[in-house]
Amino acid sequence: MRLGVENISHHYGETEVLRDVSLTVQPGRIICLIGPSGCGKSTLLRMIGGLERPDKGRVRMDGAASPDSLNPLTYIFQDFALLPWRTAAGNVSLVLEGHNLPRARREAIIADVLARTRLSDFADALPRQLSGGMRQRVAIARALAVSPEVLLMDEPLSALDAQTRELLMDDLVALWARQPFSAVYVTHNLAEAVRMGHAIVILSRRPGQVREIVEVDIPLEERAARIDELALLQRRLWEMMRDEAEAADREIANA
Amino acid sequence: MPDVPFRGGGYATRPRRWVGLVVMIALLGLWWLGSARGWISPIALPPPQDVLAAFRDLFVTGRIWDHLGASLYRLGMGWFFGSLAGITVGLAMGLSRSVRGGAGPLVAALFPVPKIALLPLFIVWFGVVGEGSKVATILFGAFFPTVINTLAGVDNVDRGLIRMGQSFGLSRWAIVRKIILPGAAPSILSGMRISSSICIVLLIAAEMIGAQNGVGAYILFAGANYALGQLIAGVMILSMLGLTVAWLIGLVEKRLLAWRG
């Protein structure tokens, strides 16, 4: 399935947050959305997944979703959004329960996604018993359980420390290498963007507009090793963003 | 060079369970000794053997089951249905703006009324005999704190979790049952803890005003007859009743809220 964002504009009251944003998510590709704070990137992501309605423009799904997909557009949240009273397996089960799957099928899916996120030994652990990185892996397992067509990731690593972030990026790349998925990945971290994105969309400061779309040709699996090229790319991105980020910072200070 | 002197510790409270038991036994001993020596006037406090005699009498005649049974029935019915109604209304108010707008002022106006003031009204409605008036008083006593705590609990459920549920396409009912209710459970249970003690107060007051049996009536008759041994025995039964109810709620909390660790 191809996802097309077409001419989205949006206001919150008097404040214009997005202006005429268009982009395309091709199957099997990860699109990173970066931009200064308050540029509307999280708002845009909520619109892509249908959690918020834009004033103008629309999001189109081209091509039918696979019949196996229980929830074609699936989020991974910054704060994990796990139910604290359910175990890791229970949190995955939550999103399968409404679909009338036979019990055995449901348990097989849970076991499979927990194995893919290396959580099999922690199936019965409650979120509070898990580290931040493991909690986000539970959330990733939950997202994989519904066989999404497009993953919508809202700063998925921002609540984690630097080392855990590295580990999780490796995990995400490994998951993608095993079974390519499409994703919109919102982040303010340029290092994440150059590691994870097939294309990087730079949004301007508020109102968010697409300033530039940078294609990254290095295969995802090779990026960890080709660190010098990534550093150069990251530098280039920063130069494109720097003035915007500075201006956005001043605006927030004056607001 | 001297060692660094230790300056930490000293404020960590470690429970010493036996201290409480020793104080209890010492007080009982003092009570017994004071009554035997005539330091304590029997009009102020009956000797412990009078209280024991009252308990023996209660058990030998079987009146204990009559009184306790009546009280437990009123408390159980009133508290259970009051809590059930309170959770239902609180949930509806938390989920629907129009229910909140409609019921909110009514709840706010009735909440501060001491429910015992409504007993005469309930007696007019349901009659002096029968359990209706007493159960209704207790039911109202349980209802309001439960409504308020349920509403606060629903309001406090993490909006991020609800958005998560919506984003995975969970039905509205599934979100209520699997996200909102468990999320509000801590607040609901603490409301039930509060309402249980309110209900015991109302139970005794209602039984003192309009009942032939029940622990409240037993205490009132004992006082009227200057049977202080019976009176103290009745108070002790109430203490045990309160402790048992609190223990039961603690048990439920432990089971339902184990995830909080």
Side-chain angles (χ1 to χ4, degrees):
Chain A
M1 192 178 77
R2 217 174 63 110
L3 207 56
V5 173
E6 295 177 358
N7 313 100
I8 282 187
S9 299
H10 195 69
H11 290 75
Y12 283 132
E14 293 288 283
T15 320
E16 188 180 9
V17 283
L18 290 168
R19 184 185 291 172
D20 201 28
V21 174
S22 298
L23 50 96
T24 311
V25 185
Q26 299 286 359
R29 277 167 55 94
I30 299 175
I31 307 296
C32 284
L33 278 181
I34 60 173
S37 329
C39 72
K41 49 193 190 293
S42 290
T43 306
L44 181 60
L45 196 71
R46 283 200 292 276
M47 287 166 179
I48 294 175
L51 287 182
E52 216 168 307
R53 221 191 288 273
D55 289 344
K56 273 196 211 106
R58 56 187 198 154
V59 182
R60 285 175 48 147
M61 298 195 274
D62 288 338
S66 148
D68 292 338
S69 178
L70 300 175
N71 191 48
L73 305 177
T74 296
Y75 283 89
I76 293 173
F77 299 95
Q78 179 176 358
D79 62 358
F80 322 137
L82 299 176
L83 302 183
W85 51 86
R86 284 193 181 223
T87 61
N91 267 287
V92 177
S93 173
L94 174 81
V95 300
L96 298 172
E97 285 161 13
H99 291 284
N100 279 324
L101 296 171
R103 193 193 171 84
R105 172 97 187 94
R106 198 165 72 205
E107 273 162 15
I109 294 176
I110 295 170
D112 172 53
V113 294
L114 288 178
R116 274 155 76 188
T117 47
R118 297 182 290 116
L119 285 166
S120 300
D121 292 342
F122 299 94
D124 297 324
L126 289 168
R128 71 177 160 83
Q129 297 165 317
L130 299 172
S131 69
M134 288 166 98
R135 285 181 207 177
Q136 192 57 299
R137 266 152 55 200
V138 175
I140 293 169
R142 177 179 63 188
L144 295 176
V146 292
S147 320
E149 294 273 338
V150 183
L151 277 177
L152 304 172
M153 304 198 247
D154 188 7
E155 309 230 9
L157 309 183
S158 296
L160 304 172
D161 62 76
Q163 286 137 39
T164 313
R165 206 177 295 167
E166 286 295 328
L167 290 172
L168 255 143
M169 273 195 270
D170 291 344
D171 281 341
L172 284 171
V173 169
L175 281 170
W176 187 88
R178 238 190 88 174
Q179 197 178 54
F181 51 83
S182 0
V184 182
Y185 187 119
V186 166
T187 180
H188 62 260
N189 183 322
L190 297 182
E192 278 173 44
V194 297
R195 273 289 295 284
M196 301 297 304
H198 293 101
I200 298 169
V201 177
I202 305 172
L203 291 180
S204 67
R205 69 177 191 273
R206 203 172 58 212
Q209 284 170 283
V210 176
R211 273 210 50 192
E212 192 109 32
I213 298 181
V214 179
E215 299 282 334
V216 187
D217 295 327
I218 313 168
L220 280 192
E221 310 89 298
E222 291 174 23
R223 291 192 191 177
R226 294 164 69 172
I227 196 127
D228 293 343
E229 287 164 77
L230 289 193
L232 275 176
L233 178 62
Q234 194 178 327
R235 176 96 211 147
R236 232 180 80 212
L237 288 175
W238 175 235
E239 268 152 19
M240 284 183 232
M241 277 184 66
R242 191 195 165 94
D243 296 341
E244 293 279 346
E246 233 164 19
D249 199 45
R250 273 198 303 275
E251 273 170 22
I252 287 168
N254 292 335
Chain B
M1 290 275 266
D3 286 355
V4 174
F6 176 66
R7 296 182 289 181
Y11 291 94
T13 52
R14 248 179 261 124
R16 296 239 165 87
R17 285 165 178 276
W18 54 270
V19 176
L21 196 67
V22 167
V23 170
M24 236 4 198
I25 290 169
L27 278 177
L28 280 174
L30 266 179
W31 179 16
W32 176 79
L33 196 70
S35 300
R37 291 290 176 88
W39 302 334
I40 302 173
S41 153
I43 300 195
L45 192 65
Q49 54 269 34
D50 278 18
V51 179
L52 270 178
F55 267 115
R56 195 180 324 116
D57 192 48
L58 272 173
F59 277 99
V60 168
T61 58
R63 292 280 289 156
I64 180 94
W65 309 122
D66 181 23
H67 291 306
L68 208 55
S71 289
L72 283 178
Y73 173 80
R74 290 163 189 152
L75 186 66
M77 293 287 280
W79 188 40
F80 177 78
F81 286 106
S83 300
L84 195 68
I87 292 171
T88 312
V89 172
L91 198 60
M93 284 173 75
L95 295 176
S96 148
R97 268 177 229 218
S98 39
V99 175
R100 181 183 299 216
L106 202 65
V107 170
L110 284 175
F111 177 59
V113 175
K115 302 305 168 296
I116 197 69
L118 298 175
L119 180 65
L121 179 68
F122 294 139
I123 290 178
V124 171
W125 287 358
F126 301 111
V128 188
V129 275
E131 302 301 335
S133 58
K134 281 138 265 181
V135 170
T137 308
I138 296 166
L139 192 148
F140 266 68
F143 177 74
F144 290 96
T146 312
V147 168
I148 286 168
N149 271 273
T150 305
L151 180 58
V154 171
D155 280 346
N156 267 328
V157 174
D158 185 351
R159 299 293 116 174
L161 292 181
I162 295 175
R163 199 174 313 126
M164 180 276 293
Q166 291 174 327
S167 81
F168 277 96
L170 266 63
S171 69
R172 200 176 152 75
W173 170 234
I175 289 176
V176 170
R177 201 161 54 86
K178 293 172 184 172
I179 299 178
I180 294 177
L181 264 181
S187 179
I188 294 174
L189 281 171
S190 76
M192 288 180 76
R193 198 179 267 283
I194 295 166
S195 76
S196 72
S197 53
I198 292 176
C199 284
I200 291 177
V201 172
L202 289 173
L203 167 76
I204 299 311
E207 286 179 343
M208 285 182 168
I209 293 170
Q212 301 306 310
N213 56 4
V215 182
Y218 176 75
I219 292 174
L220 190 74
F221 290 137
N225 295 328
Y226 294 97
L228 292 197
Q230 293 179 10
L231 196 152
I232 299 293
V235 171
M236 284 180 168
I237 292 173
L238 286 183
S239 160
M240 283 180 267
L241 180 68
L243 285 174
T244 310
V245 168
W247 174 75
L248 282 175
I249 294 177
L251 223 63
V252 173
E253 276 182 343
K254 225 180 195 167
R255 254 194 76 77
L256 286 184
L257 307 182
W259 53 272
R260 292 203 298 188

